[in-house]
Amino acid sequence: MSAPGESSVVVLLVTHDGARWLPGVVEGIAEQGSAVGAVVAVDTGSKDDSRDLLPAHYDLVEATSATAFPAAVALGLEQIAAAHPDAEWVWLLHDDARPAPGALVTLLAAAERRRDVDLLGPKIREWPSLRRLVEVGVTISGTGRRETGLERGEYDQGQHDEEREVLAVSSAGLLVRRRVLEELGGFDPRLPLFGNDLDLGWRAAAAGHTSLVVPQAVVFHAEAAHRGTRRTPLTGRHTHYQERRSALYTLLVNGSTASLPWRVLRLSLGTLVRMLGFLLVRSPGEALDDLAALVTVVFRPGAVLAGRRERRERQAASATPPDTERVGRLLPPAWLPYRHGLDFVGDVVSAVSNQASDVAERRRVAAAELDPSSQAAARLRAERMAREDEDVLADTGAVARFVTNPVALVVVLLVVGMLVAARTALGQVSGGALSPAPADAGAWWSLHYQTWHPLAFGTDVPAPPYVVVLALAATVLGPSATVSALLVLAVPFALWGAFRFLRVAGRLVSPRGAPRWLLVGGATTYALVPVTSGAWGEGRLGLVVAGALLPWLAHACLGFVDPEADRRWRAAWRVGLLLALVAAFAPVAWLVALALVVVVLVGGLVVARAAVVSTGVWGPPAAALAVPVVLHAPWWVPAVTGGHAAALVLETGRLPSPDGGRLDLVLGRLGDLGAPSWIGAVLLVLALLALLPRASRIPVTLCWLVVLVATVVAAALAPLTTALAGTDTPAGLGAPLLVAQAALVTAVVLGAQGAVRNRVSAPVRVLAAVGAVAALVVPVAGAVWWATADDQLTSAGEGLVPAYMVQRSVTGPEHGVLVVRGSVIDSITYTVRRGDGLTVGEDEVVALTDADPDVTATIRALVARPTPEVVDRLGDLGVEYVLLPSPADGAVAAALDAASGLVQASSSPGSRAWQVDRPLDPDAVAGDGTSWLRVVLLLVQGLVLLVVLVLAAPTLRSRRQP
């Protein structure tokens, strides 16, 4: 093997419409000096001045514009063989890749030191930035990702300057022995533009050749085709499709035969995951390109099979087995794609978290740009100076900052205390308004997609919209764990959301925002509202979850004041999605949101009509209101058309709902269930005092406007009652209560911020000091009450129905247990237990089901004068047992004892039970299953949810510029 000489190197330059970069490339080649023996240029039908820019001493080979890169290289090799038969090395260059001075000499020196190396590549840096790294050797992951080992946008500081063996090097600057390139068959013609360097490197490694990256040699690459700055007939507008297709082809054509089925399965499933990821970052075009690439390569395997056949023939001709050990060593570890997936999820979460926080910054920047002498510009300069001072004084030790930060320690203690106080919600929890969770997630899925439910005596009342949310979570966690997690984590989650919302709201008022201790106090006060109101202790799961989501919804609503219309629309979809979640657990929340939007828009028309009439102003809130309407269509459409429209204004969970008084809304109490009312009264007084500081009076007034709107909605709903079986229930006022309490807490925080951050008069300072002490009392008193008060949650079963009846009821819907309460003199009420009893999500369905007159007449006849025909009717209704709970009415018991067809059964003391000795109808509660209307509504729900998720997702990367 001869050493590389200066005359043994021929530069092979491929050009196509590269006039923009060619002068620099030609100059870079000239700077290599005598190391270049000759230059062969292959032009593939350039329509610009590329050919005219090539020096006269270049050997020019002209081809058509349909000539792909592998074919162009093949034409160049033919020219080299004819004109320079003694050339040992070929140095490949693109027309947008400029070599740095001395790059070729450095590569040749490395080849001299390493005689075993046949392919050498330089360090690739971005052109024109010159310092940003593009590649220092490359490999490919099992999912088809081009792995460079570099961070995004990483700058070259010499951190990757070690020579090492790699799977492949970039074709832009590849120095390869001509003999080896010809033995390998050149580049694969089935890879017209992208990925051919990876394929060549893989084939070279399998054939026993070594590829070496030499970082001391540098080539600057514009990546014109990859970045979309140059389009060719081979790529058009679908660059991503070509890149993904080449990656899939490379993996399938070079992998072992044994691994081929696994690779096909992994790439097919991985493509679906990648498509979902692209949709989440609002890149539907790239998602479709991924799908098209998969269909082209996997489902049309002709190209892959032909490529594998050529490789087998070439290996057979060389009489050497493939070096799979070398290839495996140069491929990245199997866990690397999963790390990239976690990084992507982190990027999405970070982008979502930061978007609303950036609203205040963008508004101040926009105002400052309009008028640099304005107060907004002064505030912006003050804030930046304050941040610079904080950066100078910042401690570099995260642990030290945490330990010495009293606010952080208080937050940790609060969260730990909240988790300890919520310990009664662990396990199979039920009680109060909370029914037990079902045995598996399938019960919730069935409840969601079925039109007819085998509950009671059969019903077509639609399942509440929160059931599908619980089903999704239970599919991963299980039903019991889902309910426990929601109850245990709701308060800390609300604390987190309230802290973020109050922090951003404070920055909208003043640049420095509210002090952290004030944010912690306000966030804690709000987070405890579901507890102090009594919702948590009574098991009102819907209000607890709605309370946890409400600050996140408010945080998203801040996007409506963004100065950029595109961001306002994106905020609309995010608000709509969160509002749909909140309204799923507390339906009245949508009515409150509707009232707030109407009030704001009407007020805007009065104050600034020209601004509000723009679709970029009123359109986003209107779209946000429309999202829950569409997503909840499988619930409210059949509810309204079926005569169950009352479900739209009722509380979720067991009914009846608590009946609150006039002051309960502003005091934050659900009737007599919550903490002492004086705690809510203190918050109300503090919110009134928050109107005193002039600096924050406007935002505090807006908070009081929200309180007023919530109160008006509650007052309008208060007279409404819904007749249920044996009782009446008022409309659900929990959502207006949560909104009003959130607005009061925000008013207190903003008012305190105005008093602290600005100079106020002496009387106001005294009131502020008193208010600070009182504000501290509110969260402390609420936390103490939660830790010491009793709740109605328990992990024990009800124990009303004997165990043997429960075991029979779960064997089929026809083994129902009829539970009769009351007496003949007073009134009789009845329920039917089927399966494992009523579970979460089924209470509202059964409660809203209209009583069947025929069934009611049968039950009345049963307790008054049970005839054999009446007992026969029980079997037809799917009732196997009749149970009179303690205290059992003597007259009813005597009548049932004497009835023919009823056999006395064992029961607990004070209660009586009988078994129906009649054939049971297995189709007693059978219905029509799922109607076509529900199927259509569910399909619309799924499609709209997918579209909203895509529209609401943040954009993590900029799109390619043409």
Side-chain angles (χ1 to χ4, degrees), residues 456-457 725 800 817-821 829-833 838 846 883:
F457 294 102
L800 174 66
V817 180
L818 176 64
V819 182
V820 181
R821 294 179 174 86
T829 61
Y830 62 90
T831 58
V832 178
R833 177 192 174 105
L838 290 182
V846 174
L883 176 65

Side-chain angles (χ1 to χ4, degrees), residues 80-119:
I80 293 174
H84 311 282
D86 297 330
E88 180 182 1
W89 294 88
V90 174
W91 194 29
L92 282 172
L93 286 177
H94 300 181
D95 59 359
D96 61 344
R98 172 174 180 159
L104 180 58
V105 173
T106 304
L107 292 173
L108 292 172
E112 175 71 19
R113 294 191 305 270
R114 294 283 304 271
R115 298 297 184 92
D116 61 318
V117 174
D118 298 313
L119 299 92

Side-chain angles (χ1 to χ4, degrees), residues 107 110 113-114 117 119-124 135-138 160-170 210-217:
L107 292 173
R113 294 191 305 270
R114 294 283 304 271
V117 174
L119 299 92
L120 302 96
K123 172 169 47 182
I124 306 297
E135 289 179 1
V136 190
V138 66
H160 300 286
D161 279 1
E162 180 181 0
E163 292 183 3
R164 56 189 174 87
E165 183 182 1
V166 293
L167 179 68
V169 292
S170 173
T210 300
S211 297
L212 186 75
V213 63
V214 185
Q216 289 74 23

Side-chain angles (χ1 to χ4, degrees), residues 218-548:
V218 178
V219 169
F220 303 101
H221 194 192
E223 296 185 296
H226 168 72
R227 298 178 185 275
T229 54
R230 171 175 58 190
R231 293 198 177 101
T232 71
L234 299 175
T235 61
R237 293 180 175 271
H238 296 280
T239 301
H240 179 76
Y241 161 76
Q242 294 289 351
E243 291 177 336
R244 184 60 181 167
R245 177 193 167 278
S246 68
L248 298 179
Y249 175 84
T250 300
L251 287 172
L252 295 179
V253 80
N254 293 299
S256 64
T257 303
S259 67
L260 194 59
W262 161 246
R263 288 189 184 276
V264 170
L265 178 62
R266 183 182 186 184
L267 293 174
S268 299
L269 296 178
T271 296
L272 298 179
V273 175
R274 284 170 54 91
M275 290 177 64
L276 178 60
F278 283 126
L279 291 175
L280 287 176
V281 297
R282 298 162 58 84
S283 299
E286 294 184 349
L288 293 176
D289 284 344
D290 260 36
L291 180 61
L294 178 70
V295 171
T296 302
V297 177
V298 174
F299 298 101
R300 298 177 182 174
V304 173
L305 295 177
R308 293 182 64 85
R309 184 169 56 252
E310 289 179 2
R311 283 156 178 76
R312 286 196 303 269
E313 293 173 354
R314 198 174 300 277
Q315 290 170 1
S318 65
T320 56
D323 193 349
T324 56
E325 187 277 331
R326 178 193 293 266
V327 174
R329 174 166 47 86
L330 298 176
L331 290 173
W335 50 260
L336 190 60
Y338 304 105
R339 193 197 74 178
H340 290 318
L342 293 176
D343 292 341
F344 171 78
V345 172
D347 289 344
V348 171
V349 172
S350 175
V352 171
S353 300
N354 292 335
Q355 275 195 339
S357 299
D358 292 341
V359 171
E361 175 71 16
R362 288 193 295 271
R363 285 179 61 84
R364 288 197 299 273
V365 170
E369 290 176 351
L370 289 174
D371 185 5
S373 62
S374 64
Q375 186 179 6
R379 286 182 173 182
L380 184 62
R381 289 191 295 270
E383 182 181 19
R384 290 174 176 172
M385 293 177 62
R387 288 178 179 173
E388 292 174 359
D389 293 340
E390 290 177 359
D391 293 339
V392 172
L393 299 175
D395 188 352
T396 57
V399 177
R401 289 199 303 272
F402 172 77
V403 174
T404 58
N405 189 339
V407 175
L409 293 175
V410 169
V411 171
V412 171
L413 292 176
L414 283 172
V415 173
V416 172
M418 291 173 178
L419 296 177
V420 172
R423 65 189 180 278
T424 57
L426 297 174
Q428 178 72 16
V429 61
S430 62
L434 181 65
S435 292
D440 54 68
W444 274 333
W445 283 117
S446 298
L447 188 65
H448 173 62
Y449 68 73
Q450 287 182 349
T451 304
W452 181 266
H453 311 294
L455 303 173
F457 294 102
T459 177
D460 62 351
V461 174
Y466 68 84
V467 168
V468 65
V469 181
L470 297 182
L472 286 169
T475 303
V476 179
L477 301 176
S480 297
T482 297
V483 175
S484 292
L486 291 175
L487 289 172
V488 172
L489 300 178
V491 178
F493 191 70
L495 173 69
W496 181 18
F499 184 90
R500 295 178 69 250
F501 168 73
L502 292 173
R503 181 179 59 184
V504 179
R507 289 176 179 172
L508 286 172
V509 175
S510 64
R512 298 178 61 186
R516 285 181 295 176
W517 61 266
L518 188 58
L519 296 176
V520 172
T524 305
T525 301
Y526 172 77
L528 291 173
V529 168
V531 176
T532 57
S533 65
W536 196 94
E538 199 197 8
R540 290 284 170 192
L541 181 65
L543 291 181
V544 172
V545 175

Side-chain angles (χ1 to χ4, degrees), residues 9 42 97 159 167 328 502 522 549 594 610 622 743 746 759 850:
V9 181
V42 180
Q159 68 273 35
L167 179 68
L502 292 173
L549 294 173
L594 174 63
T746 305
R759 294 181 179 180
D850 296 329

